[in-house]
Amino acid sequence: MRVLVATTLLLLSFAVPAQASGCTVYNGACVEKHSNRAWLVTNGATSYGPVRISHGKPGFGTPVGMFSVLRKVKNDWSVPYNGPMPNSVYFTTDGVAFHQGDLNSQSHGCVRLTWEASQVFYDNLFVGERVQVLP
């Protein structure tokens, strides 16, 4: 799927360097908090997105920096916040993840995606790949 998406975007001339926004990831994902968007990167070029996101609210901010995908859970549940976390892709040791959720409200630190985008992120991000969160 990742190769198909990347090839399609290249053929349509929509692929742009991930670095255009300050993202330095070669394979993985980028999050830009100030614009509420995220995208996947393959071989240094945008392979999916950017897509709309929501992120952590004041007091529960999504951390800025470079991280690695640690694990993935298809149908997870947040015990502390008592809520579903479909298509979770964890990238911090304290539980911050990409997952499907309401984009009209802020989270407790996670990066929320639409159902479709969460499926694409889940299917195309792999353990060890980089996630860069920009302010």
Side-chain angles (χ1 to χ4, degrees), residues 1-19:
M1 174 71 173
R2 175 181 244 180
V3 172
L4 177 61
V5 170
T7 302
T8 301
L9 289 175
L10 285 170
L11 290 174
L12 295 173
S13 300
F14 289 127
V16 296
Q19 294 79 2

Side-chain angles (χ1 to χ4, degrees), residues 3 13 36 49 59 66 121-122 130-131:
V3 172
S13 300
N36 288 317
M66 188 72 77
F121 273 58
Y122 185 87
R130 306 299 282 172
V131 173

Side-chain angles (χ1 to χ4, degrees), residues 17-19 21-33 37-41 46 48 50-51 53 65-66 98 111 113 121 125 130-134:
Q19 294 79 2
S21 66
C23 179
T24 59
V25 168
Y26 191 73
N27 285 302
C30 296
V31 175
E32 197 175 67
K33 290 173 41 172
R37 63 187 189 138
W39 58 96
L40 296 176
V41 179
T46 300
Y48 178 76
V51 295
I53 63 154
M66 188 72 77
F98 292 105
V111 177
L113 302 158
F121 273 58
L125 279 173
R130 306 299 282 172
V131 173
Q132 186 172 12
V133 180
L134 301 162

Side-chain angles (χ1 to χ4, degrees), residues 25-131:
V25 168
Y26 191 73
N27 285 302
C30 296
V31 175
E32 197 175 67
K33 290 173 41 172
H34 77 271
S35 68
N36 288 317
R37 63 187 189 138
W39 58 96
L40 296 176
V41 179
T42 304
N43 297 326
T46 300
S47 57
Y48 178 76
V51 295
R52 193 171 149 243
I53 63 154
S54 68
H55 55 81
K57 60 187 169 186
F60 297 93
T62 304
V64 172
M66 188 72 77
F67 308 92
S68 291
V69 173
L70 301 174
R71 64 189 175 99
K72 298 169 26 169
V73 182
K74 188 67 176 163
N75 293 301
D76 212 358
W77 185 267
S78 172
V79 173
Y81 304 111
N82 194 30
M85 295 175 59
N87 299 317
S88 291
V89 179
Y90 289 90
F91 59 90
T92 75
T93 56
D94 59 348
V96 176
F98 292 105
H99 65 81
Q100 186 276 326
D102 180 8
L103 300 188
N104 295 314
S105 64
Q106 291 180 297
S107 71
H108 290 96
C110 287
V111 177
R112 292 181 179 162
L113 302 158
T114 65
W115 180 256
E116 178 187 342
S118 73
Q119 289 178 307
V120 174
F121 273 58
Y122 185 87
D123 290 342
N124 291 282
L125 279 173
F126 303 99
V127 172
E129 287 189 323
R130 306 299 282 172
V131 173

